[in-house]
Amino acid sequence: MKDRTLLMIPGPIEFEPAVLGALGAPTASHVAPDFIEAFGQCIERMRDVWMAPSGQPFIVAGSGTLAMDIAAANIIEPGDKALVLSTGYFGERYAELLKRYGAEVTVLRAPLGDVLDPGDIETELKKTSYKLMTVTHVDTSTAVKVDPRPIGKLGREYGVLTILDGVCSVAGEELRQEEWGIDVALTASQKAVGVPPGLALVVAGPEAMKAWKDRKTPVGNYYADWTNWLPIMGAYEARKPGYFGTPPVNHICALNVSLGQILEEGMERRFSRHSRIGSACRAAMDALGLKQVPTDSAHAASTLTAPYYPVGVTGPELLPKVKAAGAVLAGGLHPDIKNSYFRIGHMGAVKPGDLLATVGAIESGLSACGYKFEPGAGVSTAQQVLIA
Ligand code: PMP
């Protein structure tokens, strides 16, 4: 039998062969003309994918946490007030991270699986003068998706910068950074952007860049400092070499291939493909009788699904059986419910057939665990949504 499993976790994901080809190609000099061209194109293409025509992209070797760090380090000065809108584990991470740069952090927490009411956010903004607020577009620990629109709007109204952690959303969920008033939108390469782990990707809008320029104190993180990176991004975009830290040459070439594919698909089509696959996965889990962490499908992510295990089934029992049937899934992450649920990633290059195979593998695993359901109910429901 073909020894191939689908990697259906919420990042890293399945990657396109052309992207992996670029990653495995002989490494060029970081000042070679072809590489300069690829880097320059990446910067231009990020503006299109993020829908931020006036944004300044930053491409830096690192993971999504570094992207979070870059936004915080460059904007926060000691004593600044920051509001974290938390819908799970990654909101909590942002709160801890901001404190390292001396921010006074307030956290507004949504109940598990739920979103915050924009009215409650506005009440908080009326009470205290914040420099920035952070929002996790999709919290990968809960599969809860927040609508960034009212938040960006409130940010503009109250003069507060909005930082969007889009690690589990950019290039999958609908995002229109500039139109929606998002000052920084950040992600990592290994999710819907479609490149193996290794790149921190940030787009900062004019207000965020102004806050950085107006700083009274130096940025408290040497590697993250835009003072070091802005000239490099400017040089490569002008098709000239630049050096601060050696760029991850192969990753950037792979990013250029992936961004090209994303734009070729078209953002609107890409958003609707993700939305349809997300709906199909949730419907399949419903059909199998599996409850999900998001309390309402209106705020459930399109990039991943988070079902609870049925009564009597545990992760250590189920997940290896699903893997043996062909799909690698992830266990829980949110500390309150870690052992009660699992996560299915479906973003980036994912095809309808990948989802059907995954739902089939989940059915096989559930059946092998002794769970009673109508075989094929999940697959058939997913297919109905996919071809509707
Ligand atoms: N934010 C979110 C929403 C994430 O899903 C992740 C990674 N799962 C991160 C931040 C951190 O990214 P990384 O693991 O690449 O550091």
Side-chain angles (χ1 to χ4, degrees):
M1 249 192 340
K2 194 160 70 80
D3 181 20
R4 177 89 174 88
T5 47
L6 285 167
L7 183 59
M8 299 296 283
I9 65 172
I13 59 164
E14 292 276 323
F15 299 112
E16 291 281 1
V19 171
L20 296 175
L23 205 64
T27 303
S29 155
H30 62 289
V31 296
D34 285 357
F35 175 67
I36 293 172
E37 180 58 30
F39 202 150
Q41 281 184 12
C42 282
I43 292 169
E44 291 161 357
R45 288 172 168 175
M46 276 175 69
R47 288 196 189 94
D48 294 339
V49 171
W50 269 243
M51 297 197 184
S54 325
Q56 174 59 57
F58 292 92
I59 304 169
V60 178
S63 79
T65 308
L66 177 70
M68 295 167 77
D69 231 342
I70 288 173
N74 283 284
I75 295 176
I76 286 292
E77 295 192 65
D80 284 342
K81 293 188 170 56
L83 179 63
V84 170
L85 308 176
S86 176
T87 42
Y89 179 93
F90 290 101
E92 304 303 317
R93 173 172 294 189
Y94 228 148
E96 287 314 302
L97 192 156
L98 285 157
K99 286 181 201 160
R100 291 292 175 94
Y101 296 106
E104 287 175 25
V105 179
T106 302
V107 183
L108 279 186
R109 265 181 206 100
L112 180 69
D114 209 342
V115 286
L116 288 159
D117 180 342
D120 293 338
I121 302 171
E122 181 159 19
T123 305
E124 185 56 39
L125 294 179
K126 274 187 183 142
K127 265 201 301 203
T128 308
S129 172
Y130 290 100
K131 183 169 195 180
L132 65 77
M133 59 182 163
T134 70
V135 54
T136 316
H137 196 178
V138 169
D139 199 298
T140 322
S141 71
T142 53
V144 165
K145 172 170 68 183
V146 173
D147 182 359
R149 275 166 278 207
I151 296 169
K153 200 160 163 268
L154 283 171
R156 286 285 175 266
E157 256 171 71
Y158 287 84
V160 180
L161 295 168
T162 304
I163 312 298
L164 181 108
D165 171 352
V167 174
C168 201
S169 75
V170 171
E173 304 283 357
E174 181 183 3
L175 171 66
R176 303 172 197 277
Q177 180 177 349
E178 198 155 313
E179 186 186 322
W180 293 357
I182 307 299
D183 295 293
V184 178
L186 60 93
T187 191
S189 53
Q190 74 271 17
K191 305 225 185 197
V193 165
V195 177
L199 294 175
L201 303 169
V202 178
V203 177
E207 300 292 322
M209 295 308 293
K210 182 174 181 312
W212 163 73
K213 279 190 198 112
D214 291 348
R215 292 178 67 95
K216 312 256 175 320
T217 56
V219 172
N221 179 323
Y222 183 72
Y223 184 68
D225 191 345
W226 284 339
T227 317
N228 294 320
W229 291 112
L230 187 59
I232 307 308
M233 300 305 137
Y236 278 98
E237 189 169 9
R239 305 303 195 263
K240 294 191 183 103
Y243 171 73
F244 166 58
T246 307
V249 172
N250 288 58
H251 268 81
I252 290 174
C253 293
L255 176 67
N256 195 33
V257 172
S258 195
L259 293 174
Q261 290 177 340
I262 290 168
L263 292 169
E264 200 177 315
E265 178 177 14
M267 298 315 296
E268 307 303 333
R269 276 173 59 197
R270 196 168 173 92
F271 298 149
S272 62
R273 174 169 60 84
H274 279 81
S275 167
R276 178 169 294 216
I277 286 182
S279 301
C281 191
R282 289 194 302 279
M285 294 306 110
D286 287 345
L288 295 173
L290 270 54
K291 287 203 169 54
Q292 293 163 48
V293 179
T295 52
D296 192 321
S297 67
H299 59 248
S302 300
T303 48
L304 84 153
T305 300
Y308 285 105
Y309 298 115
V311 176
V313 174
T314 66
E317 213 188 342
L318 177 66
L319 298 182
K321 292 187 169 70
V322 177
K323 182 179 175 205
V328 178
L329 306 180
L333 179 62
H334 194 291
D336 294 356
I337 48 168
K338 201 172 173 7
N339 297 321
S340 319
Y341 76 113
F342 63 105
R343 296 174 300 150
I344 310 158
H346 34 72
M347 62 188 114
V350 66
K351 308 273 182 304
D354 298 334
L355 183 70
L356 294 173
T358 302
V359 175
I362 293 170
E363 288 195 9
S364 301
L366 287 169
S367 169
C369 289
Y371 178 64
K372 296 278 175 268
F373 62 97
E374 190 195 322
V379 176
S380 136
T381 303
Q383 180 67 305
Q384 284 169 39
V385 176
L386 290 169
I387 65 177

